[in-house]
Amino acid sequence: MKSERDRVVCFHYELYDEDGELKGSSRGKDAVAALQGHGNVVPGLESALLGRARGERFEVVVPPHEAYGMRREGWTTRVSKKNVVEARRPKVGMSVMVRAAGGVRPVTVLKVGSSVVDVDMNHPLAGHTLRFDVEIVEVREAQPEEIAHGHVHGPGGHGH
Ligand code: ZN
């Protein structure tokens, strides 16, 4: 079965920046499960997943505008430490998740105060050309409920 719109594609990946530095990986975790055609992954990766079948391995180079966009200079804000998720002692340069309007998002710590943190709101991978090394582990039909929600349920997807 090949990946097409409204099918679920499960894959492992390693993600590198343009310097060849490893920036992320699903190895040792659940494979990522994405509902094809619903923007569950960045656009450049989503289009590269189209038409793939289980067992395929490939790499795709994705420019910033098809990944996390361009960096916006000076896009910083101050957040309460209470809104920093899962990092008890944020340090300068660290990527952390913060609660902000629109949900939880990854940011980079610029300055740490006693109760607040100044952060760069750009996605840590904004402005980078990314290379994904991908291995397709499963392609399956989606459940009607998954298509209605626009995402996959279960391991690698949503757990609600
Ligand atoms: Zn759902």
Side-chain angles (χ1 to χ4, degrees), residues 108-123:
T108 304
V109 177
L110 298 174
K111 191 176 166 194
V112 181
S114 56
S115 62
V116 295
V117 183
D118 290 350
V119 297
D120 182 338
M121 294 292 280
N122 286 289
H123 190 286

Side-chain angles (χ1 to χ4, degrees), residues 145 149 151 153 158 160:
E145 193 186 46
H149 286 199
H151 55 231
H153 295 156
H158 280 242
H160 67 102

Side-chain angles (χ1 to χ4, degrees), residues 18 46 91 129 156:
E18 56 275 81
E46 181 163 62
K91 291 194 176 68
T129 294

Side-chain angles (χ1 to χ4, degrees), residues 29-94:
K29 298 181 254 184
D30 286 330
V32 176
L35 184 61
Q36 188 75 47
H38 291 258
N40 293 177
V41 297
V42 298
L45 177 59
E46 181 163 62
S47 52
L49 290 168
L50 200 57
R52 304 287 181 170
R54 170 192 228 151
E56 277 192 65
R57 282 177 166 247
F58 61 94
E59 64 170 58
V60 57
V61 174
V62 179
H65 66 275
E66 291 181 16
Y68 294 98
M70 300 309 294
R71 290 187 60 80
R72 290 163 56 183
E73 289 312 317
W75 189 25
T76 66
T77 194
R78 177 165 287 180
V79 298
S80 163
K81 275 188 179 169
K82 279 182 282 189
N83 287 326
V84 178
V85 183
E86 287 175 9
R88 304 185 77 157
R89 287 166 184 271
K91 291 194 176 68
V92 173
M94 196 184 258

